[in-house]
Amino acid sequence: MKRLLFITHRVPYPPDKGDRVRAFHEIAALAGRFRVTLASLSHAPGDRAAAGPLGELCERVLLAPAGGAWGLLRGAAGVLRGRSLTEGYFASRRLRRLLRAEAAREPFGLVFAYCTSTLPHALAVPAPARVIDLVDVDSAKWAGYAERAAWPKSWLFRREAAAVRALERRAAREFDAALLVSPAECAAAGEPERLIPVSNGVDLE
């Protein structure tokens, strides 16, 4: 089987909330057709223990710290350089080193990125094909925050909405496939012809 790299911005276990549920079931489905290496950003001391059960689905599980106070500082520095807060907050040199080492040890046949925050990491890994699940249109969320906030937060949120929108457009342009949770989200992204809706299902059993 081909080797697949699945990158998440948070450890997708336990599957007890929206983003974890979707990512976990994607991993479970892909594990039947690929040798999955999961690379996740860790935000809490308990993440390593929480990720343990994922070893039953994944060939390898890689964790690297991100977020926290340092993440906020990196996010602020990113804003000064014209980037989004999101990119800085989820940046991780440790993760980049781990991914480069893994790709050098044995190449990946496919990279699957989960959410816009993992896009820079996914593009840094050599692979013949890349897929990203944007899940929903994060830029619209930030725009909504801007409408409800007072200055200076409204300015910051509007700026983040524009920066994240640029990431979403980059995803549609540079990945072989970009997914969203519904046709409505694809339409909201403004490029429905370049995006693929993959809805969440419910196992009635």
Side-chain angles (χ1 to χ4, degrees):
M1 288 192 292
K2 287 185 178 181
R3 196 171 186 228
L4 180 146
L5 174 63
F6 196 106
I7 309 175
T8 63
H9 62 306
R10 299 184 190 279
V11 173
Y13 202 89
D16 56 2
K17 56 183 294 187
D19 58 343
R20 289 176 179 168
V21 170
R22 183 173 171 93
F24 173 79
H25 285 289
E26 286 176 341
I27 292 168
L30 291 167
R33 303 187 65 178
F34 296 90
R35 295 161 48 215
V36 177
T37 291
L38 171 65
S40 289
L41 294 170
S42 172
H43 298 266
D47 278 351
R48 186 163 296 278
L54 293 167
E56 298 179 10
L57 295 172
C58 303
E59 186 176 65
R60 295 175 71 83
V61 177
L62 309 174
L63 298 182
W70 283 111
L72 292 173
L73 287 173
R74 285 192 298 268
V79 169
L80 295 176
R81 293 196 296 269
R83 298 178 181 174
S84 67
L85 281 167
T86 298
E87 288 177 90
Y89 186 80
F90 291 101
S92 171
R93 291 181 181 177
R94 169 67 175 162
L95 184 63
R96 293 288 182 92
R97 287 195 296 269
L98 287 172
L99 296 181
R100 282 196 296 266
E102 279 297 307
R105 186 178 67 83
E106 183 182 356
F108 293 104
L110 174 66
V111 173
F112 193 113
Y114 191 80
C115 293
T116 52
S117 49
T118 66
L119 182 151
H121 299 300
L123 290 176
V125 181
R130 291 183 178 83
V131 174
I132 186 167
D133 188 354
L134 299 170
V135 186
D136 49 24
V137 184
D138 278 344
S139 58
K141 173 189 70 178
W142 288 107
Y145 291 161
E147 291 177 0
R148 297 188 294 272
W151 194 89
K153 284 186 177 180
S154 59
W155 172 85
L156 180 61
F157 292 158
R158 275 195 299 272
R159 190 198 173 284
E160 185 67 5
V164 172
R165 181 74 186 104
L167 286 176
E168 291 164 349
R169 287 175 175 162
R170 188 180 180 190
R173 185 175 66 249
E174 298 189 28
F175 283 72
D176 296 282
L179 317 179
L180 280 163
V181 74
S182 69
E185 289 292 313
C186 291
E191 298 185 53
E193 70 283 354
R194 298 183 60 84
L195 301 168
I196 303 169
V198 177
S199 300
N200 289 331
V202 177
D203 185 348
L204 297 180
E205 294 299 322

